[in-house]
Amino acid sequence: MCGIVGCILKDDEAAPVLLECVKKLEYRGYDSVGIATPSSKINIRKDKGKISEAEKNVKLSDLPGNMGIAHVRWATHGIPTQKNAHPHTDCNGKIAVVHNGIIENYKELKNNLESEGHIFKSDTDTEVIPHLIEKFMDQGFDLEIAVRKTLDMINGSYALAVISTDEPGKIVGVRKESPMIVGKGDGDYFLASDVPAILKHTNNIIYLEDGEMVILDADGVTVKNVLGEIIEKEIHIIEWTPDMAEKGGFDHFMIKEIHEQPDAVRDTLMESSEIEKIVNNLGGIERICFVACGTSYHASLIGKYLFESLMGLPTDVILASEFQYSSKAMDEKTLVIFISQSGETADTLKALRTAKKRSETLVIVNVVGSTATREAKHVVFTRAGPEIGVAATKTYVSQLTCVYLLAAHMSKRMDLVEELHKIPKFMVEVLDNEDYIHRIAKKYKDAQDFFFIGRGFSYPTALEGALKLKEITYIHGEGYAAGELKHGPLALIDDGVPVVAVVAPGNIHDKTLSNVEEVRARGAHVISVGSSDDEILKSESKDMMVMDSEIDELISPIPYIVPLQLLAYYISVEKGIDPDKPKNLAKCVTVE
Ligand code: M6R
């Protein structure tokens, strides 16, 4: 979940460019940052904290040379400190390494290396890598072979970039179970954890596969397979533009991305015919199983309600991290649908690799070229564009749009596709009401606990609202099926506790209202999300975030999440938290 970059530039100093690129990867981790360039020695600038904080203490871009490597860290082994920040070096400061992933056998390797006299400076697992490379280079191997020999010794997952003063002008990159892409500009060459980091410099992208190695030097880019043979790789032209990954006048990426949701839904709806083709190729599916994590899991839960209500197809939803323990019923008649914004989530990829041995697999994913797109049988793209804020917003509504399109085509409910086209308008109406939601946020920003309740299609919306709140405001927020409250959680409802009730019109409306009554009777402050013509709900609520009365219950999960995203965003801002970089979290979780 760290971010790595490397570059060799024709005419420019590398460090300022590396700093600018690594800032684009900060969503992957912000515990520390570091840059290294080679000259007669390895020059390093690094410090703990977010890049903006580190820059106050260390002149990160004040390094010589036209090539180098850089890193932002999400700590796994060793607390966030300067000494644990990457790049890490060997004993003599001649080799530098940046790493995303985990080296599982680092303890044993470290003990052996220490007994051979290597001196370690950090508590990280990564540091064994430069020491192993040093050992092999001391035995006379060149950098590339020394890296290969090192890979033979380490277990775990990695994307690595390595430089050495003995072979200045060269960067060696490798990947195994952690993403790495290569950018081929006009005389400028890059490697990075993902595309937005280097998009300003080139949109000619090569996707590395597990086990592949890339060598960057002034002559260009060479990719080799596990045997060390040169291989031809396809260059993909990426359509995303650099300003899609900028804030564009908004204070944070998250609020920009919330505002991009009407377009994200519109663009994703254009995938309808692709989805129809996939559906036409699916034969004899008798059961659906969704697998995902976090927000993508909530999109999957909506899928369950949808597939079961439209087609009566038995549908399971399994958290990717639990898949190994609960997927025994899958067979060749099961379509396993993976949902992942990044396409790189380790838990999801592991489940995908297990599922594809016995079932048909389909992935709904936002990042073109990501690992999941290469491993699943069928791929459906969400057209949300790059999402930088750690909190998933526009990718969630795009995922839902794909789930609805899949269900519509499988059930031949073309009227549902028509309904989906109305959603952008409903979202714009909520966004126009943003100031009112900001005022509600100010009122409740000091609450200790929040509860979110909903039934049926509104239950996953309640869960997602609670997740958004806790991840960017650090307020304890729990989502419950409204009917479950009386089976335990009601004991926690006291005077003034905010309860957000998601009450879409339709079948579940009246029953949810009874649950609203129950919490009100115990003193809760009800903040509701409901139809503008729902006078009863209005009278039961302290505050109400109103939705267009034309929204049908079936499609309500897509527009109804928008006010909850805005509520979490504005509470975060009011509390002085940076919603784009919530503590302890990273956008792309590439460790299990
Ligand atoms: O990239 P993925 O969709 O596979 O990520 C799964 C979760 O880590 C992710 O949805 C996470 O819960 C959200 N960023 C929270 O907003």
Side-chain angles (χ1 to χ4, degrees):
M1 321 214 305
C2 307
I4 68 176
V5 190
C7 74
I8 295 184
L9 306 178
K10 193 170 51 172
D11 299 319
D12 297 312
E13 292 277 297
V17 172
L18 286 168
L19 181 59
E20 162 223 308
C21 293
V22 95
K23 280 182 179 169
K24 301 253 164 17
L25 289 178
E26 223 186 349
Y27 68 86
R28 301 179 70 89
Y30 27 85
D31 291 339
S32 60
V33 55
I35 302 180
T37 64
S39 53
S40 55
K41 58 180 178 41
I42 295 284
N43 312 289
I44 295 193
R45 296 272 187 280
K46 61 182 186 178
D47 206 356
K48 67 173 180 171
K50 292 180 182 161
I51 298 179
S52 56
E53 290 156 14
E55 270 184 306
K56 287 181 199 147
N57 304 327
V58 179
K59 191 103 183 51
L60 289 164
S61 59
D62 187 14
L63 293 168
N66 70 332
M67 61 162 289
I69 54 177
H71 187 268
V72 281
R73 178 165 187 248
W74 184 83
T76 57
H77 297 66
I79 58 170
T81 56
Q82 194 198 35
K83 75 169 183 176
N84 289 333
H86 298 215
H88 290 289
T89 56
D90 63 320
C91 297
N92 298 311
K94 293 172 77 175
I95 297 159
V97 172
V98 288
H99 169 217
N100 168 29
I102 289 179
I103 308 303
E104 286 159 6
N105 58 337
Y106 84 100
K107 279 201 177 129
E108 182 196 332
L109 292 169
K110 186 171 176 175
N111 288 343
N112 293 343
L113 286 160
E114 281 180 331
S115 66
E116 290 167 13
H118 288 261
I119 310 290
F120 280 73
K121 299 179 281 288
S122 77
D123 309 316
T124 64
D125 53 337
T126 302
E127 201 185 343
V128 296
I129 299 170
H131 287 282
L132 285 169
I133 298 172
E134 174 185 29
K135 175 175 157 169
F136 292 119
M137 288 187 85
D138 284 350
Q139 291 170 10
F141 295 103
D142 66 17
L143 177 62
E144 192 186 317
I145 303 291
V147 171
R148 279 195 189 283
K149 288 190 161 293
T150 298
L151 301 185
D152 289 343
M153 308 213 43
I154 58 179
N155 302 331
S157 60
Y158 45 79
L160 295 176
V162 187
I163 54 174
S164 162
T165 55
D166 284 349
E167 295 185 41
K170 184 183 277 187
I171 302 175
V172 175
V174 282
R175 76 156 274 175
K176 183 186 161 229
E177 294 169 17
S178 283
M180 183 182 281
I181 55 104
V182 177
K184 229 177 152 183
D186 182 16
D188 295 337
Y189 307 110
F190 298 84
L191 57 77
S193 297
D194 93 16
V195 175
I198 61 168
L199 207 49
K200 188 172 155 197
H201 302 276
T202 180
N203 64 345
N204 296 333
I205 301 296
I206 295 169
Y207 293 100
L208 290 192
E209 301 290 337
D210 277 355
E212 289 179 350
M213 171 181 275
V214 63
I215 297 115
L216 268 53
D217 60 24
D219 296 330
V221 165
T222 311
V223 181
K224 297 190 176 177
N225 64 16
V226 264
L227 303 171
E229 300 159 341
I230 295 181
I231 48 173
E232 285 302 317
K233 296 284 290 184
E234 188 184 347
I235 297 181
H236 298 258
I237 312 294
I238 301 300
E239 288 162 17
W240 291 355
T241 58
D243 37 316
M244 285 168 97
E246 302 292 343
K247 284 190 202 149
F250 286 92
D251 288 342
H252 299 99
F253 281 110
M254 183 178 175
I255 189 69
K256 175 185 172 242
E257 287 158 3
I258 289 174
H259 276 262
E260 285 171 342
Q261 292 185 116
D263 282 340
V265 171
R266 254 183 232 116
D267 291 348
T268 303
L269 282 170
M270 283 166 28
E271 288 302 293
S272 184
S273 51
E274 286 303 312
I275 292 174
E276 187 177 14
K277 276 187 219 151
I278 292 174
V279 166
N280 291 341
N281 282 327
L282 296 171
I285 296 300
E286 292 178 358
R287 184 189 182 97
I288 304 274
C289 176
F290 282 94
V291 183
C293 310
T295 292
S296 302
Y297 174 75
H298 296 151
S300 303
L301 285 174
I302 307 264
K304 176 178 168 67
Y305 285 95
L306 200 57
F307 278 82
E308 290 186 342
S309 66
L310 292 186
M311 281 170 281
L313 258 190
T315 305
D316 297 306
V317 187
I318 305 181
L319 284 166
S321 54
E322 290 292 309
F323 187 79
Q324 310 301 325
Y325 326 116
S326 59
S327 61
K328 307 294 177 280
M330 251 118 272
D331 60 20
E332 67 284 1
K333 297 224 159 70
T334 309
L335 173 65
V336 191
I337 303 177
F338 294 84
I339 305 188
S340 175
Q341 177 279 133
S342 61
E344 300 292 353
T345 302
D347 291 322
T348 308
L349 290 178
K350 185 160 186 191
L352 170 54
R353 285 169 190 142
T354 307
K356 72 187 201 186
K357 290 183 197 146
R358 50 181 198 266
S359 301
E360 189 116 356
T361 56
L362 180 151
V363 63
I364 297 175
V365 67
N366 195 45
V367 179
V368 177
S370 56
T371 307
T373 63
R374 299 197 297 273
E375 302 229 358
K377 177 157 181 209
H378 308 283
V379 181
V380 171
F381 285 106
T382 50
R383 296 288 174 193
E387 187 178 71
I388 311 294
V390 166
T393 53
K394 64 175 177 169
T395 54
Y396 175 66
V397 295
S398 297
Q399 289 170 345
L400 287 177
T401 305
C402 286
V403 169
Y404 275 79
L405 285 173
L406 264 174
H409 286 295
M410 284 177 83
S411 63
K412 310 269 181 256
R413 283 278 308 266
M414 290 308 118
D415 58 317
L416 179 55
V417 180
E418 266 170 47
E419 277 298 295
L420 293 174
H421 280 274
K422 297 182 191 159
I423 289 175
K425 164 183 164 269
F426 298 142
M427 289 175 146
V428 169
E429 288 167 2
V430 179
L431 294 168
D432 287 346
N433 205 15
E434 189 176 1
D435 288 347
Y436 175 71
I437 298 175
H438 192 167
R439 286 201 292 279
I440 300 179
K442 280 187 185 155
K443 245 163 105 173
Y444 294 99
K445 74 177 174 50
D446 294 321
Q448 300 285 308
D449 304 286
F450 261 76
F451 292 86
F452 290 73
I453 58 170
R455 278 177 184 259
F457 281 104
S458 296
Y459 167 44
T461 306
L463 294 178
E464 175 59 10
L467 177 64
K468 287 289 89 90
L469 184 86
K470 67 186 123 189
E471 72 175 321
I472 61 167
T473 70
Y474 316 150
I475 295 174
H476 170 237
E478 290 300 335
Y480 286 103
E484 268 299 291
L485 279 185
K486 57 188 175 296
H487 299 291
L490 205 52
L492 298 170
I493 305 295
D494 263 328
D495 263 357
V497 171
V499 175
V500 179
V502 186
V503 196
N507 286 336
I508 43 83
H509 175 267
D510 292 356
K511 280 210 185 325
T512 319
L513 266 187
S514 312
N515 304 125
V516 167
E517 295 275 7
E518 285 161 15
V519 294
R520 247 169 52 93
R522 273 116 191 135
H525 282 194
V526 174
I527 308 163
S528 60
V529 188
S531 171
S532 58
D533 61 2
D534 192 338
E535 294 304 330
I536 305 179
L537 182 62
K538 217 172 274 175
S539 67
E540 300 276 343
S541 311
K542 274 250 183 258
D543 298 281
M544 180 166 171
M545 301 185 272
V546 291
M547 306 296 298
D548 196 306
S549 57
E550 275 180 41
I551 300 172
D552 190 78
E553 182 191 355
L554 190 66
I555 59 156
S556 64
I558 311 183
Y560 269 57
I561 192 59
V562 182
L564 302 187
Q565 296 166 338
L566 286 169
L567 182 66
Y569 171 78
Y570 281 113
I571 293 180
S572 176
V573 170
E574 286 301 321
K575 289 176 85 76
I577 293 167
D578 179 349
D580 287 342
K581 297 171 191 160
K583 71 171 192 270
N584 303 338
L585 299 179
K587 181 96 189 136
C588 181
V589 187
T590 53
V591 291
E592 277 180 57

